[in-house]
Amino acid sequence: MTAQIIDGLALSRQLRAEVAQRAAALAARGVRPGLAVVLVGDDPASQIYVRNKVKACAETGLHSVLERYPASMTEPELLARVRALNDDPAIHGILVQLPLPSHLAAHRVIESISPAKDVDGFHLASAGALMIGQPGFRPCTPSGCMKMLESIGCEPRGKHAVIIGRSNIVGKPMAMLLLHASATVTICHSATRDLAHHTRQADILVAAVGRRNIVSAGMVKSGAVVIDVGMNRDDQGKLCGDVDFAGVREVAGWITPVPGGVGPMTITMLLVNTLEAAQRTLAGSHR
Ligand code: GUN
């Protein structure tokens, strides 16, 4: 079997066109959705990510501001900036790019963001809301993965989903979203014994580790849906995921490529969350 490709770029294009339409409708009612992106320090990967986020806003008609600060910024200074953005009516979503320089406590900074503007879905209130199935912002990468499953008509109910990785940004929220969709969920991590034993049982396999080729063809059940969240570089410096794409492609039913898979969907869901945040201000409901 040769897997079908889940094209994250094509799906993103379609969803971003909907965002642009909805943003225009909101703007006509006097609310232009606005995102503030805060970058502290000069991490090269973070600079590329934030540039892409700001560019995506411009392409869909969202207002955005990029605030860049030197790595020497103090925590009180950063907290004061976040508070000012919390109070800024032109800003509906606030994103503080991670990782932060080590002298800044990321959890305190994230907790200072108003949950109503937490479009990354990283705030404790958002994480708690996800855990108990209450409305709130969902982290962008896992919600993008759910959209990809939906786009191919993959219904998680009753399926066995196996996630490799237990990060707060991807692995754990991914598990919660799949659980709420009534999948049977297994989370594997660095201390898991016999990883392949678990992955071979997966109808839906999500790799979110950050290590090249952690998933090979022999670890995948025939016909499985394989979602690759990894962003790594191969020996030639080319972008690649966590999955041995060429090998797994011959076994899986569906597979996401890297690049052009999950990556564009993460930014797309950030736009969707920002739009929702703006929409909620109009409805007057701060869920
Ligand atoms: N660093 C890597 N991914 C993300 C993300 O989705 N949001 C933020 N704020 N920082 C990140």
Side-chain angles (χ1 to χ4, degrees), residues 69-176:
Y69 298 105
S72 58
M73 186 182 214
T74 67
E75 194 170 305
E77 284 168 344
L78 180 53
L79 293 175
R81 274 317 303 152
V82 172
R83 256 181 256 119
L85 291 167
N86 282 340
D87 293 338
D88 185 342
I91 295 300
H92 305 95
I94 302 169
L95 179 152
V96 178
Q97 186 66 25
L98 301 178
L100 284 170
S102 57
H103 67 281
L104 302 172
H107 75 98
R108 273 199 296 269
V109 175
I110 290 166
E111 264 36 281
S112 73
I113 297 172
S114 161
K117 297 190 176 187
D118 176 37
V119 287
D120 252 337
F122 293 169
H123 194 285
L124 274 178
S126 304
L130 170 58
M131 178 87 175
I132 63 172
Q134 287 294 309
F137 291 113
R138 307 308 191 214
C140 301
T141 301
S143 59
C145 294
M146 294 300 286
K147 280 276 181 206
M148 294 178 110
L149 292 176
E150 193 186 310
S151 76
I152 59 163
C154 174
E155 164 60 68
R157 183 177 193 83
K159 296 217 167 72
H160 192 163
V162 176
I163 298 154
I164 319 174
R166 55 175 158 179
S167 72
N168 291 329
I169 295 182
V170 183
K172 282 190 243 176
M174 188 78 240
M176 282 300 140

